[in-house]
Amino acid sequence: MRQGHTIAGVPADLATIARDIGSLLVMESALMGGSALIGIAFGEYGVALAFFLAAVATLTIGGAARRIFTAAPAPQTKHGMIIAAAGWLLTAVFGALPFFLSAHLLSPAAAAAYVPEGASYTASSLRYFANPLHAIFESMSGWTGSGLTMAVHEPSLPRALLWWRSLMQWVGGVGVIVLTVSILSRPGSGSYTLYRSEARKERIHPSIVSTVRTVWKIFLGYTVLAVVALFGALLVSEPLPPAEAAWQALNHAMTGLATGGFSVTDNSIATYDSPLVETVLLPIMTLGAIAFPIHYAVLKNRDLRELFDDLQTRWLFILLGAGIAVLTLQNLQTFAPALSLRDSAFQFVSALSCTGFQSSPIGQWSAGGKLITSGAMVLGGAAGSTVGGIKIIRGYTIVRGIRWQFSRVFLPGSAVVSTHIGDRQLDREGMEREFSEAAIVSLLWVLVLIGGSVILSNLVGPGFSYADALFEVASAQGNVGLSTGITGPSMHPIAEGMLVINMWIGRLEIIPVLVFTRSLIYGVNP
């Protein structure tokens, strides 16, 4: 790219970034428009108007950027990372508009009409979104698949906003950029650059566009199966009308498979207190934690052995089994054996898969139980899936790298050494590169986690310990959504803003955010 080259009077670097972020916003505006139709279908005309206004504002800005800079060059790696970081940030900001506008367009009396009959409260949680920070928090939590919420009582929200929360997590679980790439069908290296910028490297097909379209087909198919399974479980275990059971099944299937964790009930999955519902959700959450190429291989070859042949999936099952056993033993100090096993199994799967569905009062757990669950949230599931966290492959690479470094001490300098990571054989240079990358990202991740937990521990009340603060930051940064009770509309604004940043950083795995921050200070070029 030539220095000084401009598009419509703007440097080409910025034009490329603006054009592709504009494409993301155009995509978001289309999703808002569809959600406006959901509001109309439920007779929520004030909320539908809020979605319509939000869609128009988002389309105007995004469409203008895309049209003005349409001739901008294809993105390079540096552009891709900035587009990912700035794009996800702006997607969350614009995604907050339906919450914010609904809270201001509806009168308190109109909002109170959404409170379920017989509820112990009289005010709708919609009122909290009149605060723009709360609205941005909810949107960032949705798009990043985090699941922490400012909606104290979810059933008191309009159906269109509940749908928007689920849709954000369903799309965000696979990736906003992945959706955009699949629809724009841009040929060449530009699509791959954007695809990698969203912390993805895996391919199913040689073509990135074909890859992301296959991912979406698999995801949509699993969602349909999850809705059917949950619908059946709810009809059996809950006294719900079929239409309400279908509504709750749809939303929980979307957020469960996307490992997002938003719920349409008051106390997440604890509302049901149903072993059947929890059992049905376990494989749904686990599916979301397995890499999409493995799903494709299993479906294509119709062979479940593909699951166990894959390094990450094999270790996912090992960690789930070991974690459930250890957490159950820990919780036996507080709960009866049957309840300890049930809650530990569900919550550990929810934590390691970074889903965030909650069936147990984690705030009442011992510090040991919270720390075990925090560790699961920090690690997360497989790279190439919908999960957050550091990812299993990085944890495995670091452990193997440490063993490899020790083994080299006892070998002569001239020795030719190699090692295996899964089915890949790496020479000395390759292993050093893999180990360094995994170690750097993990170290940065942990440093941000520790810093955030120290800040939060000084901003919460005396009723919360450092273990609670560490758990909450790990949940936000791991894009999980489990909570000890710290997150809510009454939390300190600095703490709330920090958790927004933690969720953003966690979804993009830190490096794009650092590149974006550097570009704000020094510009795009070195």
Side-chain angles (χ1 to χ4, degrees):
M1 189 179 299
R2 300 191 309 271
Q3 293 292 328
H5 181 49
T6 62
I7 306 292
V10 173
D13 284 322
L14 297 181
T16 295
I17 294 167
R19 180 201 56 206
D20 287 348
I21 291 177
S23 297
L24 297 180
L25 296 181
V26 169
M27 193 64 55
E28 185 177 27
S29 71
L31 298 176
M32 289 177 179
S35 299
L37 298 178
I38 298 292
I40 293 173
F42 280 107
E44 299 169 351
Y45 300 112
V47 180
L49 176 60
F51 271 103
F52 176 75
L53 294 175
V56 169
T58 306
L59 178 62
T60 300
I61 295 174
R66 185 179 172 188
R67 183 176 61 255
I68 292 171
F69 303 117
T70 187
Q76 302 171 18
T77 300
K78 62 180 180 180
H79 302 122
M81 289 192 174
I82 296 170
I83 290 165
W88 275 85
L89 181 61
L90 289 175
T91 296
V93 170
F94 281 91
L97 288 177
F99 297 106
F100 181 75
L101 293 174
S102 295
H104 284 278
L105 288 175
L106 271 65
S107 66
Y114 292 105
V115 176
E117 186 177 350
S120 59
Y121 50 91
T122 57
S124 170
S125 289
L126 181 62
R127 62 195 170 107
Y128 297 121
F129 298 126
N131 181 330
L133 180 57
H134 293 344
I136 291 173
F137 184 99
E138 197 78 6
S139 179
M140 181 65 81
S141 183
W143 286 114
T144 59
S146 298
L148 293 171
T149 182
M150 290 293 139
V152 176
H153 299 295
E154 288 92 335
S156 67
L157 292 177
R159 293 292 179 103
L161 285 180
L162 289 173
W163 163 258
W164 180 237
R165 294 164 84 244
S166 299
L167 182 63
M168 285 190 297
Q169 291 204 327
W170 192 72
V171 173
V174 178
V176 182
I177 291 176
V178 168
L179 177 62
T180 304
V181 167
S182 68
I183 294 177
L184 291 181
S185 303
R186 179 188 296 157
S189 61
S191 290
Y192 184 57
T193 299
L194 292 179
Y195 182 72
R196 290 197 61 176
S197 71
E198 208 166 53
R200 296 187 180 277
K201 298 179 182 179
E202 69 283 351
R203 289 177 184 256
I204 294 175
H205 308 293
S207 164
I208 286 300
V209 173
S210 296
T211 292
V212 296
R213 287 181 176 172
T214 297
V215 166
W216 275 106
K217 288 176 183 176
I218 294 170
F219 197 54
L220 181 59
Y222 280 164
T223 303
V224 172
L225 293 176
V227 171
V228 172
L230 275 175
F231 178 67
L234 289 173
L235 285 182
V236 170
S237 62
E238 298 296 316
L240 294 173
E244 181 62 24
W247 167 255
Q248 294 187 19
L250 172 63
N251 283 273
H252 285 140
M254 291 171 68
T255 60
L257 189 62
T259 62
F262 271 157
S263 176
V264 295
T265 56
D266 243 334
N267 297 304
S268 190
I269 305 305
T271 297
Y272 302 122
D273 192 21
S274 168
L276 177 60
V277 172
E278 293 168 22
T279 301
V280 169
L281 281 170
L282 289 176
I284 293 173
M285 294 187 291
T286 304
L287 283 173
I290 297 172
F292 281 108
I294 305 307
H295 288 302
Y296 178 75
V298 170
L299 294 172
K300 180 182 178 182
N301 300 326
R302 299 181 182 180
D303 187 355
L304 289 177
R305 286 177 297 181
E306 298 280 357
L307 292 173
F308 302 97
D309 289 341
D310 175 62
L311 171 70
Q312 290 195 98
T313 310
R314 188 166 61 249
W315 273 102
L316 174 67
F317 290 134
I318 293 171
L319 291 169
L320 286 174
I324 290 170
V326 173
L327 188 57
T328 299
L329 291 174
Q330 176 66 40
N331 282 335
L332 282 174
Q333 302 175 23
T334 310
F335 303 102
L339 184 60
S340 176
L341 174 60
R342 173 183 161 187
D343 284 352
S344 297
F346 188 85
Q347 293 305 166
F348 194 84
V349 173
S350 182
L352 189 63
S353 67
C354 299
T355 304
F357 281 147
Q358 197 155 333
S359 65
S360 177
I362 295 176
Q364 298 175 19
W365 285 14
S366 67
K370 293 172 186 174
L371 289 175
I372 292 169
T373 310
S374 296
M377 294 190 294
V378 169
L379 180 61
S385 67
T386 66
V387 304
I390 292 173
K391 309 291 190 306
I392 288 173
I393 190 61
R394 285 204 182 98
Y396 181 85
T397 301
I398 289 172
V399 173
R400 286 299 302 270
I402 293 172
R403 288 179 56 191
W404 178 73
Q405 294 284 2
F406 274 114
S407 68
R408 289 176 57 193
V409 173
F410 301 98
L411 295 174
S414 59
V416 178
V417 292
S418 64
T419 189
H420 286 83
I421 299 291
D423 57 357
R424 294 182 301 149
Q425 181 172 339
L426 302 176
D427 59 14
R428 181 182 302 217
E429 182 180 348
M431 187 59 197
E432 288 179 347
R433 182 174 60 252
E434 294 283 333
F435 178 61
S436 297
E437 179 184 338
I440 289 170
V441 172
S442 300
L443 177 61
L444 290 172
W445 210 99
V446 171
L447 288 176
V448 173
L449 171 66
I450 294 173
S453 62
V454 170
I455 293 172
L456 185 60
S457 66
N458 286 283
L459 294 174
V460 296
F464 295 101
S465 65
Y466 177 74
D468 293 317
L470 178 66
F471 185 99
E472 209 78 5
V473 176
S475 182
Q477 194 167 307
N479 304 135
V480 182
L482 296 175
S483 177
T484 58
I486 292 176
T487 298
S490 61
M491 72 187 304
H492 197 289
I494 294 178
E496 184 177 352
M498 183 194 72
L499 290 183
V500 169
I501 295 173
N502 283 118
M503 291 187 285
W504 178 46
I505 286 175
R507 181 59 180 83
L508 293 170
E509 300 186 350
I510 298 181
I511 300 298
V513 175
L514 294 178
V515 173
F516 172 67
T517 303
R518 181 204 174 281
S519 71
L520 289 178
I521 299 172
Y522 299 107
V524 178
N525 291 309

